[in-house]
Amino acid sequence: MEPSELKRSKDSPNSDESTRRSSFPDEVLERVLSLLKSHRDRSSVSLVCKDWYNAERWSRTHVFIGNCYSVSPEIVARRFPKIKSVTLKGKPRFSDFNLVPENWGADIHAWLVVFAAKYPFLEELRLKRMAISDESLEFLAVSFPNFKALSLLSCDGFSTNGLAAIATHCKNLTELDIQENGIDDNGGSWLSCFPESFTSLEVLNFANLSSDINFDALERLVGRCKSMRVLKLNRSVSLEQLQRLLVNAPQLAELGTGSFSEELTFRQYVELESALSNCKNMHTLSGLWDAKGIYLPALSPVCTHLTFLNLSYAALRSDELAKLLAHCPRLKRLWVLDTVEDKGLEAVGLNCPLLEELRVFPADPFDEEIIHGVTEAGFVAVSFGCPRLHYVLYFCRQMTNAAVATIVQNCPDFTHFRLCIMIPGQPDYITNEPMDEAFGAVVKTCTKLQRLSVSGRLTDLTFEYIGRYAKNLETLSVAFAGSSDWGMQCVMGGCSKLRKLEIRDCPFGNAALLSGLEKYESMRSLWMSACNVTMNGCRLLAREMPRLNVEVMKEDGSDDSQADKVYVYRSIAGPRRDAPPSVLTL
Amino acid sequence: MERRVNYENDLNLMATELRLGLPGCGDDEPQRKTNPSIRNNKRTAPEISEVTSSESSSSVTMSGSDDQDSPPPAKEQVVGWPPIRSYRKNCLQSSKRNEVEGMGMYVKVSVDGAPYLRKIDLKVYRSYPQLLKALENMFKLTIGAYSKREGYNGSDYAPTYEDKDGDWMLVGDVPWEMFISSCKRLRIMKGSEAIGLGCV
């Protein structure tokens, strides 16, 4: 016991009275804590006492930063000396919908420079909504010899040249996951940059890219990477090419097909079906761009084991979906386009009793002439057949309060309820009443609700309900809703676990903004755009709460006193210095 | 389902008390009405409160559909609504483009005894009856009804097509979608010659 007691007293010389000594030597404590994976658990652990704080920081290998401006790379490096994996999120979520100005920030480069110095053995980098240039990708590729996994989701600023740099230099790469980014596609020669000796790739997702790739290079790459388990192709890969790839990779667990629409001869069809049936481990299927209904039966051998089917790029009809789902009894997650209509969703309810997540995307979101798509009936049908449903994203053009009440009665375990009635301010189309009671039913019944997106015509009553009942709510998205400041005040006052609040086009003003004064430091961020907040209100907030960054984005031609877009977030790094001229930091 | 409301149809919007959910389309914001650009989506909330506290529930409904005769002029899209990522939007748009323009499926149609061939776009049709009717109109002949057992027996003409393998098949045997994807050209045979085809 002696040496460890010495070590302890060396580490924490002043902590005798206020901190309780752990009876473990530091090494043991670190070993135990290294088994903790959840970053929330780790945060809790680090608050116990100084010993635990230190043990935790030395044992942490993965750091999750939900807002890149809440902390600086130097602070992170100082606290956590042994990081191998970083997850970083940048821009506010509404940047996905073009509400955030260009050059807003969230550039990864400054982080990479610090990491290169402090974490030369960095292995993984996962970025969401960050700006990343080709230069940064090249820098990354040459600075970290052990680099293994790169995942870019909804990022922008780079091109396939940057990917070429990664392919060329990262000898130990296991994962390259490029999803839904604003990428400049200069062609598929980046794939040829993987050296012939390179065999470690396990995850390759380039579905994002639109141009043709060098298929020979891809075929050879897949052939020699025997541990590959995730392969997501882009649209340029044909069915015939897919079959050739599958023959060499029957071990795949997740497949994103390329285009599923060109003509096949009978023999080609049989070969494809046979190749698919050899993939005994496949549990996730996506891609299926422009899928032609007649070729879908080729998928049936794979369907029995499928747990996740992503058909959100295949405009299937209801009968085509029904035929396919008849083979998918184990499905837990399903993404579809609303071309399947209510009838297709009925088939979901009938065939997929284990379903936990459903996302229905609109095929024609901006076309006002379209009269099909899905309605409340489809959602209700699913709820009757799928009692385990807990995650829904549903785009529709009509809804009723009664339908939603039925849905949550059938599925009380919702954790994520995101309903988008696509016409702003649309009431219950049968009773013409606001949709207040619908969301009231959701929050009253679904006690585990963590994330909620509301839509349709809503008065302050919706927000009273949310404040009163949604005690586990962490993320709330509001658009074109509410009647007065009172609505937002209810939410700020009642939702104790709220972390992210994003609001657009609502009548909430300074009183509402300032009602959350005490709360913003316990939240990750607040976004308010096209509301009634003024510059003075924002200035007041900034003055009262110095540990918050209050940023205002002005639009051209707007009133000087209006704060068009407001982004408020807690930060220990102080106001940021890289804001473009259109962003004012107060 | 309710008709879409378009934000740009000013006459109707002005006439109704409640303008959809986008308050601020008021007299005091002239630039909003005429400017179809997507940048102008600000809301002035006072109108919202007026609007939502309005008594008449009928005006709460979304439609200018009662007033609407003429199709809307350029519709003003609200920025970032519905909330769909740009990536997905671009994919959907390019799918539609493929469907609508470039990929018309033109095939040659020959009729026995006719001096020259015609071309038709198969993509325009959704079913066999539609296609056959169009062919009848184009060539001024009657093809008659299809039956599984007898083909087009009993009519003057029988429609056939050349498939991917180079074989001549009777139109109507396979599902429409399969036909569309394998049809290379059409030939309308004279009834007398076509008798063999129907009974195979």
Side-chain angles (χ1 to χ4, degrees):
Chain A
M1 271 316 200
E2 287 264 31
S4 51
E5 273 173 10
L6 275 176
K7 184 172 199 282
R8 255 182 289 136
S9 53
K10 230 178 20 177
D11 279 347
S12 42
N14 302 322
S15 55
D16 39 344
E17 58 294 293
S18 47
T19 60
R20 205 132 49 92
R21 285 205 191 266
S22 58
S23 39
F24 295 126
D26 288 344
E27 295 84 2
V28 174
L29 192 53
E30 275 178 44
R31 187 79 171 85
V32 169
L33 294 182
S34 68
L35 300 172
L36 274 181
K37 299 297 173 215
S38 146
H39 63 273
R40 283 197 206 182
D41 286 344
R42 282 184 162 272
S43 293
S44 310
V45 155
S46 65
L47 293 173
V48 169
C49 65
K50 272 210 175 106
D51 280 350
W52 282 48
Y53 177 87
N54 278 325
E56 194 280 312
R57 62 182 269 264
W58 279 95
S59 66
R60 195 187 289 215
T61 56
H62 170 242
V63 68
F64 170 85
I65 299 163
N67 174 3
C68 65
Y69 287 119
S70 63
V71 71
S72 75
E74 291 84 3
I75 295 175
V76 173
R78 241 195 333 263
R79 180 172 168 188
F80 301 114
K82 287 199 183 161
I83 295 296
K84 294 227 191 84
S85 163
V86 177
T87 302
L88 260 173
K89 297 189 183 179
K91 303 181 199 177
R93 194 177 77 97
F94 278 178
S95 73
D96 283 348
F97 319 129
N98 298 332
L99 286 178
V100 171
E102 293 279 310
N103 309 318
W104 181 85
D107 195 306
I108 190 62
H109 203 82
W111 290 84
L112 289 177
V113 168
V114 172
F115 290 161
K118 304 291 184 183
Y119 304 137
F121 300 114
L122 189 70
E123 293 179 2
E124 296 183 5
L125 189 62
R126 298 177 197 284
L127 305 180
K128 187 170 185 181
R129 291 191 204 103
M130 299 285 295
I132 178 161
S133 66
D134 284 342
E135 288 71 33
S136 295
L137 283 171
E138 281 159 30
F139 181 77
L140 168 65
V142 303
S143 307
F144 304 99
N146 276 5
F147 196 73
K148 296 207 168 103
L150 178 65
S151 167
L152 301 175
L153 172 57
S154 210
C155 297
D156 65 339
F158 63 107
S159 78
T160 40
N161 295 344
L163 298 184
I166 299 285
T168 307
H169 299 290
C170 298
K171 309 270 180 262
N172 295 313
L173 200 68
T174 59
E175 178 175 338
L176 183 59
D177 184 7
I178 311 295
Q179 275 190 67
E180 303 201 5
N181 301 292
I183 180 174
D184 259 335
D185 196 339
N186 297 331
S189 58
W190 61 275
L191 257 175
S192 327
C193 295
F194 285 109
E196 289 297 319
S197 56
F198 172 78
T199 58
S200 50
L201 206 56
E202 296 169 21
V203 174
L204 177 61
N205 177 359
F206 61 95
N208 197 169
L209 302 176
S210 47
S211 67
D212 290 352
I213 42 108
N214 181 338
F215 182 72
D216 285 331
L218 175 64
E219 196 173 13
R220 285 198 307 275
L221 179 67
V222 173
R224 63 182 188 265
C225 294
K226 294 297 176 198
S227 307
M228 192 173 280
R229 47 184 176 83
V230 176
L231 179 61
K232 298 192 181 173
L233 309 167
N234 76 348
R235 218 169 185 161
S236 75
V237 177
S238 70
L239 276 177
E240 204 235 317
Q241 291 173 329
L242 170 66
Q243 187 265 338
R244 280 159 62 182
L245 291 172
L246 286 178
V247 158
N248 280 326
Q251 77 281 3
L252 284 178
E254 297 185 27
L255 174 67
T257 73
S259 166
F260 218 77
S261 69
E262 95 264 16
E263 302 160 10
L264 285 182
T265 64
F266 182 66
R267 174 183 308 153
Q268 285 172 322
Y269 174 91
V270 166
E271 284 175 352
L272 176 64
E273 195 181 26
S274 157
L276 281 166
S277 63
N278 278 336
C279 299
K280 309 280 185 214
N281 294 336
M282 203 172 281
H283 57 70
T284 293
L285 189 59
S286 61
L288 300 165
W289 309 94
D290 314 314
K292 279 236 168 70
I294 47 165
Y295 298 135
L296 291 179
L299 299 172
S300 26
V302 181
C303 286
T304 25
H305 310 294
L306 277 189
T307 54
F308 179 19
L309 181 56
N310 180 352
L311 296 169
S312 63
Y313 293 101
L316 295 188
R317 295 189 316 252
S318 49
D319 55 305
E320 292 168 332
L321 178 67
K323 256 204 285 216
L324 189 56
L325 290 182
H327 301 283
C328 306
R330 299 223 181 96
L331 218 52
K332 288 196 183 153
R333 300 172 66 196
L334 176 65
W335 296 15
V336 291
L337 281 177
D338 65 356
T339 51
V340 303
E341 299 188 348
D342 290 333
K343 232 171 164 322
L345 294 181
E346 278 169 34
V348 175
L350 287 172
N351 289 296
C352 307
L354 302 180
L355 199 70
E356 297 176 14
E357 174 180 328
L358 174 68
R359 301 196 195 197
V360 182
F361 295 94
D364 276 303
F366 307 110
D367 193 332
E368 296 184 336
E369 300 307 311
I370 299 294
I371 314 189
H372 32 264
V374 293
T375 72
E376 77 281 6
F379 198 168
V380 170
V382 174
S383 74
F384 274 112
C386 309
R388 297 192 197 186
L389 199 61
H390 69 83
Y391 190 123
V392 128
L393 170 61
Y394 199 81
F395 284 85
C396 59
R397 290 183 172 85
Q398 67 185 52
M399 188 51 63
T400 67
N401 289 309
V404 176
T406 306
I407 288 161
V408 293
Q409 195 172 24
N410 293 336
C411 305
D413 295 329
F414 273 113
T415 55
H416 297 68
F417 193 91
R418 302 165 64 186
L419 176 61
C420 182
I421 304 167
M422 288 191 274
I423 302 161
Q426 164 106 320
D428 178 319
Y429 81 101
I430 291 185
T431 65
N432 270 337
E433 281 171 5
M435 296 296 297
D436 296 333
E437 293 307 318
F439 294 103
V442 172
V443 294
K444 281 179 207 166
T445 317
C446 306
T447 50
K448 300 182 205 160
L449 197 68
Q450 291 167 26
R451 181 171 181 183
L452 178 65
S453 300
V454 298
S455 59
R457 176 146 151 57
L458 303 174
T459 71
D460 283 343
L461 183 55
T462 297
F463 303 101
E464 280 181 35
Y465 285 141
I466 294 175
R468 201 180 318 156
Y469 295 104
K471 291 308 178 187
N472 283 320
L473 193 65
E474 296 179 13
T475 304
L476 178 63
S477 306
V478 187
F480 306 103
S483 333
S484 72
D485 286 335
W486 173 239
M488 184 169 163
Q489 285 167 336
C490 289
V491 171
M492 299 311 298
C495 298
S496 41
K497 290 200 185 166
L498 195 64
R499 293 188 304 118
K500 285 176 283 184
L501 179 56
E502 44 186 31
I503 302 174
R504 62 166 293 179
D505 294 88
C506 296
F508 303 139
N510 293 336
L513 175 71
L514 296 169
S515 71
L517 216 57
E518 312 282 303
K519 193 148 178 60
Y520 297 129
E521 274 187 10
S522 64
M523 287 170 58
R524 183 187 293 177
S525 64
L526 165 75
W527 170 282
M528 287 178 79
S529 61
C531 297
N532 268 352
V533 176
T534 68
M535 293 298 291
N536 285 335
C538 295
R539 285 191 195 106
L540 186 59
L541 177 62
R543 201 164 46 234
E544 293 295 311
M545 306 295 296
R547 281 185 305 205
L548 295 179
N549 281 357
V550 179
E551 297 181 8
V552 175
M553 288 152 269
K554 303 273 299 160
E555 279 176 27
D556 301 332
S558 79
D559 200 327
D560 277 346
S561 64
Q562 285 297 111
D564 306 310
K565 294 176 181 166
V566 183
Y567 185 50
V568 179
Y569 57 93
R570 63 182 177 188
S571 176
I572 56 174
R576 60 184 177 115
R577 276 152 296 181
D578 63 349
S582 57
V583 176
L584 308 167
T585 310
L586 301 180
Chain B
M1 216 190 287
E2 295 280 324
R3 238 39 209 65
R4 301 296 134 262
V5 198
N6 62 350
Y7 312 121
E8 274 288 56
N9 198 335
D10 299 311
L11 297 171
N12 296 329
L13 291 176
M14 299 255 266
T16 57
E17 207 175 277
L18 172 60
R19 280 168 217 142
L20 311 182
L22 289 181
C25 296
D27 311 300
D28 49 330
E29 288 202 338
Q31 86 264 22
R32 184 92 99 77
K33 286 192 287 214
T34 49
N35 187 351
S37 102
I38 53 173
R39 312 192 82 240
N40 254 338
N41 66 326
K42 292 207 307 288
R43 288 171 85 72
T44 32
E47 266 105 303
I48 303 181
S49 357
E50 282 167 23
V51 141
T52 54
S53 58
S54 127
E55 294 302 302
S56 41
S57 53
S58 58
S59 56
V60 168
T61 59
M62 291 309 294
S63 36
S65 63
D66 334 296
D67 327 82
Q68 202 137 321
D69 309 313
S70 51
K75 60 182 183 227
E76 179 182 330
Q77 277 180 23
V78 181
V79 177
W81 190 264
I84 297 178
R85 281 196 184 140
S86 332
Y87 172 70
R88 183 173 284 282
K89 266 194 294 195
N90 294 338
C91 284
L92 295 176
Q93 273 163 15
S94 70
S95 293
K96 273 170 78 169
R97 235 178 292 125
N98 283 344
E99 249 180 54
V100 169
E101 23 159 284
M103 311 297 260
M105 225 180 214
Y106 281 89
V107 296
K108 290 184 190 168
V109 189
S110 59
V111 178
D112 290 354
Y116 50 80
L117 280 61
R118 302 294 303 271
K119 262 208 165 160
I120 58 168
D121 181 0
L122 288 180
K123 279 266 174 180
V124 164
Y125 309 103
R126 297 249 167 270
S127 66
Y128 284 119
Q130 274 184 17
L131 171 65
L132 296 179
K133 186 132 208 104
L135 290 173
E136 286 181 346
N137 286 340
M138 189 183 253
F139 295 104
K140 307 285 180 277
L141 41 76
T142 21
I143 296 176
Y146 166 82
S147 85
K148 218 161 173 60
R149 285 172 98 236
E150 316 243 304
Y152 294 89
N153 275 353
S155 51
D156 295 333
Y157 292 91
T160 64
Y161 70 101
E162 184 181 23
D163 73 358
K164 269 194 308 243
D165 296 330
D167 300 317
W168 284 94
M169 316 289 296
L170 189 68
V171 169
D173 283 338
V174 299
W176 175 255
E177 292 290 295
M178 196 178 278
F179 164 71
I180 288 274
S181 60
S182 54
C183 172
K184 289 270 162 282
R185 53 188 299 166
L186 285 162
R187 176 185 165 199
I188 302 182
M189 294 173 108
K190 268 250 175 55
S192 45
E193 280 192 56
I195 285 187
L197 278 178
C199 317
V200 165

